[in-house]
Amino acid sequence: MSPADLLREAFSCTVAASWQAAAMAVVVMVIALLLGRWISPRWRCAMWMLAFVRLVMPALPPRPVSFFARPAPVRAAVRETVTPQDVVTYGVIDPSTRDRAASPTLAPRSRGADRVATLWLTVAALFIVRHIVRASRASRRLALLPRSNDIRLTAAIHANNGVMEAAETELVSTPALAGLWRPMLLLPRGLLDRIDDAELNFIVRHELAHAKRHDTLVGFVVGLVASVHWFNPIVYLAAARFRAERELACDEAVLREHVEPAAYGRTILKLLEQLPSGEQSMLAGAVGMLSRRRTIGHRIAAIARPARRSPLGPIVCCVIALVALTGPKRGRAAAAPAPAVEPPAASTTAPSNDARDVMTRVYDVRDLIIHPPDFSSDPASATTLPTMTRAQLIRSVMITLTSTIDPSSWRTNGGDAGSIRELDGQLVVTQTPHNHELIQKKFNEMRQARGVQLTVEVRILTGAKLRDQLAHIAPDGAWGGDQEELWTRFLDDGQVKSLLHATQADRQSTLVTAPRLTLFSGQRAYVKVTRASAYVGDVSLKPDNIGFEAEVKTIESGMTIDIRATASEDRKLATLELRPKLVSLLEFIPTRWPKSPPGREDLIIQVPHTLTTTLDTAITMPNNRTAVYRLHPQESPRGAPTTQPLDLKEPTLMLVRPVVIVQTEVPQKQFPLLSTRTSATTRP
């Protein structure tokens, strides 16, 4: 999956989770308004927390009953008109499945969706970075604060079985709890001088309740979740209601310890009166005792009239969790049987692919979109063919499927059942089960065609007595005579073996080389077996113009075989395009340098004397047979007398043998006992 697809999938999941959490928030708000009198604040806080749990869930576990369940798809029976020439078909089609299988491959992808997803990710990343930076700065400022050694404060903390550090600072204007992992109690500087021991005890109990609930860490996570869902205003509303219910839950925890509600309420009002100008400063990430001024009235009312004790709170939370935090049960409903219709006697019946349930499968076709390149020993003579891109190869595979496998069923051809799209070298195909079987067979045929290779073995034989040896192998006289035309004959394995034995027994005969080249059917490749020889090819004047120096050049001698091999459909014939070239270095002829100045007869260069044998032909021959060619060498025209006589009547033969290889047959030939053992063990 590409990064763009991952981004779109992440944005889609985020939007789905956001609107579902918004729906949950609306439900929780309604429940809190109607049943809040019978639900304690801690359970109301838990209900708001369930909405944030939905925001961080990428998927919902399936259950039969879900708040987000969609209506079951209506399955409609499809029937075609019956005529003597038509086929009667029955079946069902799932419209929702068919719509999800729409193919976006042949149409351009929506750029608007990509831009919206990119904008969401950019803004979310900025909000998350800002949130983390603010938290890290707050942690560094907490680490630098001097710890308080006040006896009253230490005694109040120990009296309430608390273990945490405390400090007085100007960073807060109300008692607060700060720190993600090791929370610290923060008091405004000078507050201890303005409150008595009972009021200090209320403050410590309230902040210890925050610490036991891990509200600082939970608040940090809620901020991260809200940063991801920055586009949803209901998320911010839910976060505000969660913080308000959090303070009510801590007030409830203080009142559960047999505290007089009136005294605790007066403490909150006293802290409110001491706020400068009614405003407050707060360290980032800290949980203040007076978080919002406008909620104080509601808190005082809740302290005066606490919620009734009722088991309704946990019951409502469990119901919301089971219903709203689960998704619809996946799977297809049972298809309603189509009404049976008796076809006319003159017509034939068969199941139609378009009338069955469609299904989606993924096919890996990465091995089918690789085009074997051609390799030519002579780039100037190589045929210039347009190279297909990866997208063109994928499109050709898709067109092959849509034009050969039930063409009328594909949506691109006006049908209503089949769709196809590409995803990272894989084809996502939605079709009927019968057509999926045909698609798999088509892919097997394409792979079988791509798996055909050929191994071409080439032997070059030279020698004066090769004509006599061929006469013994083929006594019909077809190999005799001194004609200059090309010899082309076919030999079986026995004749080739006799010819090679005779060549090896004759000291005057030579087997130059026997390379093998394996290539795909239809591919062009070459093998080069050469030897580089150095010689003095030229003379140049030295840089200081005093004296001459020799320039060393190299010349290659040996054999180059350029072949294009193609196997027939039945694998019985092979068509070969042959371009062999054999270069033999006879000698280096010493020659006076043509640019020698007068009086410098000692400047000698070397002229290579070569014998070149070339051939450019094509042949169609049986598989695993050997074709024999007689090659005619040509002497290089160097214009210099040779010191060795050249016998051009020595025949040069080229033996070519192609072998067709099918990849599916190779394991069976290499491991024959494996298939035998498998068949023996499966025998009843």
Side-chain angles (χ1 to χ4, degrees):
M1 183 177 291
S2 63
D5 294 333
L6 289 175
L7 178 59
R8 284 193 295 269
E9 185 69 20
F11 180 64
S12 177
C13 293
T14 303
V15 171
S18 188
W19 77 260
Q20 292 180 6
M24 288 182 59
V26 173
V27 173
V28 171
M29 186 177 298
V30 173
I31 293 176
L33 290 176
L34 298 178
L35 305 177
R37 191 78 180 91
W38 292 272
I39 302 177
S40 64
R42 59 174 178 172
W43 289 110
R44 295 200 300 267
C45 185
M47 289 190 299
W48 286 108
M49 196 63 193
L50 291 176
F52 287 94
V53 171
R54 176 62 193 99
L55 290 174
V56 298
M57 294 178 64
L60 297 178
R63 288 192 57 86
V65 179
S66 174
F67 180 74
F68 305 110
R70 297 179 181 178
V74 179
R75 293 180 171 268
V78 178
R79 183 177 64 186
E80 295 183 356
T81 305
V82 179
T83 62
Q85 292 81 17
D86 293 338
V87 177
V88 182
T89 57
Y90 307 94
V92 292
I93 295 178
D94 187 351
S96 62
T97 306
R98 184 180 64 190
D99 293 338
R100 291 194 302 269
S103 172
T105 302
L106 301 181
R109 294 181 178 179
S110 175
R111 296 184 179 180
D114 294 342
R115 293 174 181 175
V116 173
T118 304
L119 176 63
W120 160 76
L121 182 62
T122 303
V123 178
L126 292 177
F127 282 162
I128 291 174
V129 170
R130 187 190 68 168
H131 190 67
I132 295 176
V133 169
R134 293 180 61 186
S136 61
R137 289 179 179 176
S139 299
R140 289 195 298 268
R141 299 180 73 176
L142 285 177
L144 298 177
L145 288 178
R147 276 35 176 183
S148 175
N149 295 324
D150 187 83
I151 298 177
R152 295 171 55 206
L153 181 58
T154 304
I157 294 175
H158 288 290
N160 291 280
N161 299 323
V163 180
M164 65 178 176
E165 296 178 337
E168 295 183 79
T169 177
E170 294 86 0
L171 297 177
V172 295
S173 56
T174 181
L177 191 71
L180 297 180
W181 310 112
R182 298 182 61 183
M184 178 187 300
L185 175 60
L186 302 180
L187 298 177
R189 191 172 298 278
L191 180 64
L192 293 175
D193 300 331
R194 299 191 295 269
I195 59 176
D196 56 20
D197 293 344
E199 294 169 341
L200 178 61
N201 190 38
F202 291 150
I203 294 174
V204 171
R205 288 184 179 182
H206 183 91
E207 300 305 331
L208 283 177
H210 279 303
K212 293 178 181 179
R213 291 166 47 89
H214 305 284
D215 284 337
T216 54
L217 181 59
V218 173
F220 177 77
V221 175
V222 169
L224 289 178
V225 175
S227 299
V228 175
H229 298 265
W230 57 267
F231 54 87
N232 191 348
I234 299 182
V235 173
Y236 295 96
L237 175 63
R241 294 305 309 160
F242 168 75
R243 288 190 291 266
E245 296 293 348
R246 180 179 63 187
E247 295 300 326
L248 293 176
C250 292
D251 293 340
E252 181 190 29
V254 175
L255 296 177
R256 280 201 305 264
E257 299 181 6
H258 306 288
V259 174
E260 184 180 354
Y264 181 64
R266 286 193 297 268
T267 301
I268 294 179
L269 294 176
K270 184 176 182 179
L271 293 176
L272 181 63
E273 294 174 355
Q274 295 180 3
L275 288 177
S277 303
E279 300 293 337
Q280 57 174 321
S281 59
M282 184 62 61
L283 187 67
V287 179
M289 189 171 180
L290 303 179
S291 58
R292 290 181 178 269
R293 187 184 185 91
R294 58 185 178 182
T295 61
I296 298 300
H298 183 61
R299 290 179 61 183
I300 296 299
I303 293 173
R305 297 180 59 186
R308 302 176 183 178
R309 292 188 177 183
S310 171
L312 188 59
I315 294 176
V316 172
C317 286
C318 292
V319 171
I320 293 176
L322 291 177
V323 176
L325 295 183
T326 55
K329 186 176 181 180
R330 298 183 180 180
R332 298 181 177 178
V341 177
E342 188 69 23
S347 64
T348 58
T349 61
S352 172
N353 292 335
D354 292 338
R356 298 181 183 177
D357 289 344
V358 295
M359 57 188 303
T360 302
R361 289 184 181 178
V362 180
Y363 297 93
D364 191 350
V365 295
R366 286 174 290 186
D367 57 328
L368 298 178
I369 58 177
I370 298 177
H371 184 68
D374 288 341
F375 303 95
S376 174
S377 59
D378 185 7
S381 64
T383 303
T384 304
L385 296 176
T387 303
M388 296 183 65
T389 62
R390 181 178 180 274
Q392 292 174 340
L393 291 171
I394 293 176
R395 185 174 178 82
S396 65
V397 174
M398 296 170 62
I399 292 177
T400 301
L401 294 182
T402 56
S403 60
T404 59
I405 307 298
D406 196 3
S408 61
S409 66
W410 298 93
R411 293 194 173 191
T412 55
N413 300 334
D416 58 353
S419 65
I420 182 171
R421 63 187 179 94
E422 184 266 339
L423 182 63
D424 291 341
Q426 297 179 346
L427 292 183
V428 182
V429 182
T430 301
Q431 260 293 358
T432 60
H434 177 68
N435 284 346
H436 274 297
E437 296 178 1
L438 299 179
I439 292 173
Q440 188 63 52
K441 291 180 181 179
K442 176 61 68 175
F443 282 145
N444 292 338
E445 294 175 0
M446 297 172 66
R447 288 189 172 91
Q448 187 176 5
R450 289 292 301 271
V452 177
Q453 297 179 351
L454 292 95
T455 296
V456 182
E457 182 179 6
V458 181
R459 290 185 174 93
I460 303 295
L461 307 179
T462 61
K465 297 183 178 181
L466 282 179
R467 187 180 294 106
D468 299 335
Q469 297 167 4
L470 289 173
H472 288 290
I473 296 176
D476 55 357
W479 302 94
D482 296 329
Q483 65 272 20
E484 296 298 330
E485 68 272 8
L486 180 67
W487 291 356
T488 305
R489 297 293 185 272
F490 297 119
L491 300 180
D492 56 22
D493 292 342
Q495 292 174 331
V496 173
K497 186 180 294 184
S498 300
L499 181 60
L500 293 178
H501 282 306
T503 302
Q504 295 173 357
D506 186 5
R507 295 182 179 180
Q508 296 181 0
S509 299
T510 305
L511 174 62
V512 177
T513 183
R516 288 186 180 181
L517 190 62
T518 301
L519 62 166
F520 287 96
S521 179
Q523 187 185 18
R524 180 179 180 180
Y526 71 94
V527 59
K528 193 173 185 179
V529 182
T530 60
R531 176 181 180 182
S533 302
Y535 66 98
V536 179
D538 201 355
V539 178
S540 61
L541 190 64
K542 291 184 178 181
D544 54 2
N545 296 328
I546 301 176
F548 297 87
E549 61 181 0
E551 293 185 3
V552 179
K553 299 182 179 180
T554 58
I555 184 173
E556 292 184 348
S557 60
M559 183 181 66
T560 302
I561 303 294
D562 192 333
I563 301 175
R564 182 187 296 275
T566 305
S568 62
E569 185 178 0
D570 56 1
R571 315 295 187 256
K572 295 181 180 180
L573 298 176
T575 301
L576 304 180
E577 298 179 14
L578 301 173
R579 301 174 186 85
K581 183 178 180 180
L582 180 63
V583 179
S584 301
L585 179 60
L586 302 180
E587 61 176 338
F588 291 108
I589 303 175
T591 306
R592 181 176 178 271
W593 185 38
K595 300 179 182 180
S596 298
R600 293 302 303 269
E601 305 294 336
D602 57 337
L603 297 179
I604 303 299
I605 62 173
Q606 295 175 310
V607 178
H609 186 199
T610 61
L611 187 66
T612 304
T613 305
T614 59
L615 178 65
D616 193 348
T617 185
I619 185 175
T620 299
M621 57 183 299
N623 177 34
N624 210 6
R625 293 290 299 274
T626 302
V628 183
Y629 289 91
R630 177 182 176 181
L631 307 179
H632 299 281
Q634 298 177 355
E635 183 182 5
S636 59
R638 293 296 182 180
T642 176
T643 58
Q644 295 184 1
L646 179 62
D647 184 10
L648 295 179
K649 295 184 178 180
E650 280 192 14
T652 301
L653 302 182
M654 181 178 68
L655 281 65
V656 182
R657 179 187 182 188
V659 178
V660 179
I661 302 174
V662 181
Q663 293 295 330
T664 56
E665 300 175 357
V666 172
Q668 299 178 1
K669 294 182 180 180
Q670 292 180 345
F671 307 98
L673 295 180
L674 183 61
S675 59
T676 304
R677 184 175 302 175
T678 304
S679 60
T681 55
T682 57
R683 188 176 303 169

